[in-house]
Each structure stands twice: as C-alpha cells, then as structure tokens.
Amino acid sequence: MSRELDLAGRVVELVREIAGPDAEAEAAVTYTDRALTRFANSSIHQNVADETTGLRLRLHVDGRTAAGSSTVVTDEGLRGLVERTVAAARLCPPDQAWPGLTQTSPVAGPGNWDEATANASPDDRADRVRAFVEAAGGLETAGYCRTVNWAGAFANSAGQAVTGRSAEAAMDGVARTGGIDGVARRNTGRLSDLDGAVLGARAAAKARAAAAPVELAPGRYEVVLEPTAVVDILQNFALFGFNGKAYNERRSFAEPGAAQFDPAITLVDDALGTLGLPFDAEGTPKRRIALVEQGVTRTVAHDRRTAAEAGATSTGHAIAGGASFGAVPTNLRLLPDGSAGDGTAPTEVDGPVVDSDTAALIAGVRRGLLVTDFWYTRVLDPKSLVITGLTRNGVWLVEDGQVTTAVQNFRFTQSYPQALAPGSVLGIGRYASLLPDSWDASWWSAPALRLASWNFTGGASG
C-alpha cells in the first residue's frame, strides 16, 4: 500500500469514528514534487523546488455536505481535519442534491511515469536552458524549464481505493530583439524529449522576423493559428463550453447531438493518452471521451453531482472545488488531420512559421494573418463564448501562401465556437503539439488551424 493510500484510508476511518458509521466520506491525497528553473537576461536567476502532500476530505453526514483540506498529515493533523469538517457539516444547509459516492471500480492504468523526469536535477533543467540561450544567437532570452511529479491516492467509505502517479516536463521561453518577443514552448511526459536548442532557435527566428511591424486596419481576416494560439480556444472550451455545471445551468453553447462545428473538428478529453493521474477528484476512473466527433457535439464533462442533475453518469472530470465551478475537461486534444499524414513530427523551417506542418496550411492562404499566440483573453458572453483578447509574440501578413510582413498586435472580439463552425475550418494540421498550462494539472494538445475568418476589432493599444 502506498503512503498516500494509507493516509486516505486513515482519514475515512476517522470519519467513521467521529461522525458515525452512516457518514459518507471520501479522501484524496496527492504528493507533489515541483521544481522550476527560471531564466531572464539569458541567465538562470532562480531554482526553486517544493514537495507537498495535500489532503482533501469531503463528507456527507445527516443529509449535509462539507469539505476541508490540509497539508498537515500527522495523526493530530488528520484528526483535526476530520473534526473541523464534521463540525462544518453540522452548520451547512441540507444537501438534497448529494449524488453519493463513487462505487468500487478499477482505474485503467497507473498513469504516465518517467523515472528520469521525476528525479531530474537542477543541472538537467539547466542543460535545456543553456541550449535555449545558445540557440537564440545572442538575443536576450527569458523563460522557465520545470519538472513535476505526482503520486495520488483516493479512498472512500463505499470501498473505492485507487492510486496513480504521473510526471511531466515543460519549457516556455522567449527571445527578444528591439523590444519584440518570439516564443516557443512545449510540454511532455519525459524531460529527455525537451530540446532547448530547437525551442531557442524557434523563438529567436520569430523575434527577428517580427521587426518593423506595420499596422493593418481592423476587420475580419482569414487566419492560420499556430498550436500556441489554438490552446486558448481549448482552454475556454474546457472552462465554459464543455463544463457540465455550465451546461446544466444553460450557460454553455454545447448542444449534444447538434452539428455545431466543422466536420474537420474532433475534440476528445484523454488524460490516459497525455499526462495526469488516472482518476478524478471523486475517485472515478478516467477514460477517453469524445466531446465532439467530426463536428457533432456528443457530450459534456460531468462529475457525480452535475451528472446526477443531468440524468447522466460521471465522465470522470471532477475537480477539487468543483461544487462551485463544475466539471472541467483538463486534457483536451484537438485531433490533427489524420487523413493527410502519418502523424510523424514536422520539421523546423526558416522564418517565423513554427514548423513545416503550419507552413503547409499557410501555403493555401491568398491573403490572411499568421497568429502565434493569444493572451489576456476574457469572456464577454459565456453562452456564445464571445471572447476578447490580444495577439502576442508575433503576427504576420500572409500573401499568396508566403509570409510577407510583420504586423502590429491586434485586439480581437470573436465567438470561439463560431470560428470553428461548419464551413469555417479551411485546414487543420497533421500533427498536434502538447503544450503546457501555467497550472500544472492541465494539458492541451493542438495542431495548427486555418480558419476562414477571425474578427480583429482594433489595435492592441486601443
């Protein structure tokens, strides 16, 4: 038995002892080992690392539900957590929508794991940073390289007891010249797959190609979005579109059974195929689910509470704090165009285009824009998922299939589902990149996208 599962089981037993045998309880324990090497002005200025064991308890007693958390895992700490949470439950209003506990069910696997990544040293991360800086060819650089590993366990009073572990590595950096940044980033389950030289050279090429940008008039432009920009679409789909709570409350655009997207769009959530633990915050085993298949919305993500309200079953997407925020798919994969390639990685190309896969999409554009990144995006209307935000880290005019001129950053106002609506997707890349989130419990896999229209509403300064 793992240390984490032992802790979770002890908490469940304490709930029975303090609140009585009829109390329902679930305990999740996660050991997290994070390490971060940060660099600025082309030098490493910070190495930080922390190891934390976090414990979350949710219990349902006498028709009332309460939750608590702690990082104190001594005997006194565990007892204190249970006593506080039981006392809180006595003060809560009746919970008539309590969905009950996850029943006993096995997970599909132990989770992705790489020993070398889990035990990476500061020198291992520094090697990637050195390669990034050297490949930038004298440009000022900044960014980070991180490694994280988790060991998790879940136990409840219905008998569910599962464990798993996972490791990841990520790098995100910019190269700067003349006050203009170029960016490159990547996420992976193995540190050995991170090539700092490739990322540094890519960031530098973008920065150099973004010099002397011209200002274009606002309006609708055909666009090629690099995977780094597509990730913002996936993040907002996850938070506001395929969130079971948002769907139940009719705040989501999702309409299962409706052809809401272009037939080229297939969107799955697949923790087992990417990174992360093999079960959710309620101990439900994770599995691959299709949210959109060939343009048709199939389902939304559910935890036990949102599923019960919708008359469905949990899809394994409970998150900590989900009672207020809902069920969120945090491992979204926009599938690449499998009909036109063998899935092998694309090659690097000269200039600002991220790789040969994206260059192939650009080749078909008569006049449009190449966009590297979106940032500072905010929801204006959650139902239609109209987002406003800015471009970042490079925009270029594309004419007759060639990148011709750097362009000033834009502000945009765009409905994300509308941008991917039937007939709006003119091309989709043949290879998907795994990219990191600033929150190291989410991962996004995206190819480049060629879209018929994107609504740019002004310059970044206005």
Side-chain angles (χ1 to χ4, degrees), residues 114-169:
D114 180 66
E115 197 73 29
T117 301
N119 296 312
S121 69
D123 285 347
D124 293 329
R125 291 184 295 276
D127 287 344
R128 273 74 186 177
V129 172
R130 181 184 300 109
F132 188 102
V133 171
E134 290 177 353
L139 270 60
E140 181 182 340
T141 61
Y144 72 79
C145 179
R146 79 179 180 212
T147 51
V148 187
N149 72 84
W150 308 262
F154 175 95
N156 68 23
S157 53
Q160 176 70 332
V162 291
T163 62
R165 60 181 184 170
S166 182
E168 70 129 22

Side-chain angles (χ1 to χ4, degrees), residues 97-114:
W98 170 248
L101 298 173
T102 299
Q103 299 301 301
T104 303
S105 48
V107 295
N112 73 287
W113 184 255
D114 180 66

Side-chain angles (χ1 to χ4, degrees), residues 55 62 77 89 101 113 121 142 176 181 198 253 267-268 324 341 354 359 445 452 459:
L55 196 159
D62 297 333
L101 298 173
W113 184 255
S121 69
R176 172 174 292 188
D181 291 343
V198 168
F253 65 81
L267 186 63
V268 304
S324 59
V354 64
S445 177

Side-chain angles (χ1 to χ4, degrees), residues 73-295:
V73 295
T74 61
D75 290 344
E76 294 77 11
L78 299 184
R79 179 171 288 275
L81 171 64
V82 173
E83 290 175 343
R84 290 194 303 273
T85 309
V86 170
R90 306 292 188 202
L91 302 174
C92 288
D95 180 7
Q96 297 178 347
W98 170 248
L101 298 173
T102 299
Q103 299 301 301
T104 303
S105 48
V107 295
N112 73 287
W113 184 255
D114 180 66
E115 197 73 29
T117 301
N119 296 312
S121 69
D123 285 347
D124 293 329
R125 291 184 295 276
D127 287 344
R128 273 74 186 177
V129 172
R130 181 184 300 109
F132 188 102
V133 171
E134 290 177 353
L139 270 60
E140 181 182 340
T141 61
Y144 72 79
C145 179
R146 79 179 180 212
T147 51
V148 187
N149 72 84
W150 308 262
F154 175 95
N156 68 23
S157 53
Q160 176 70 332
V162 291
T163 62
R165 60 181 184 170
S166 182
E168 70 129 22
M171 192 167 197
D172 188 337
V174 297
R176 172 174 292 188
T177 180
I180 295 173
D181 291 343
V183 70
R185 60 177 72 102
R186 192 182 175 201
N187 200 185
T188 174
R190 298 188 302 181
L191 181 63
S192 59
D193 289 341
L194 279 184
D195 191 330
V198 168
L199 297 178
R202 181 182 297 173
K206 282 184 167 292
R208 292 190 177 100
V214 301
E215 187 165 351
L216 293 184
R220 289 193 169 275
Y221 289 84
E222 182 178 330
V223 293
V224 173
L225 306 181
E226 292 189 343
T228 41
V230 177
V231 162
D232 194 80
I233 297 176
L234 301 188
Q235 290 170 328
N236 282 287
F237 277 2
L239 291 170
F240 304 103
F242 296 103
N243 178 332
K245 188 172 191 290
Y247 172 76
N248 288 349
E249 295 173 351
R250 301 183 181 181
R251 293 183 285 110
S252 164
F253 65 81
E255 299 177 15
Q260 294 184 284
F261 298 94
D262 190 273
I265 299 298
T266 293
L267 186 63
V268 304
D269 188 82
D270 186 12
L272 302 177
T274 50
L275 306 172
L277 298 176
F279 54 89
D280 72 1
E282 294 177 327
T284 302
K286 290 190 174 182
R287 56 188 171 86
R288 185 182 190 272
I289 64 166
L291 300 168
V292 178
E293 287 183 310
Q294 297 180 329

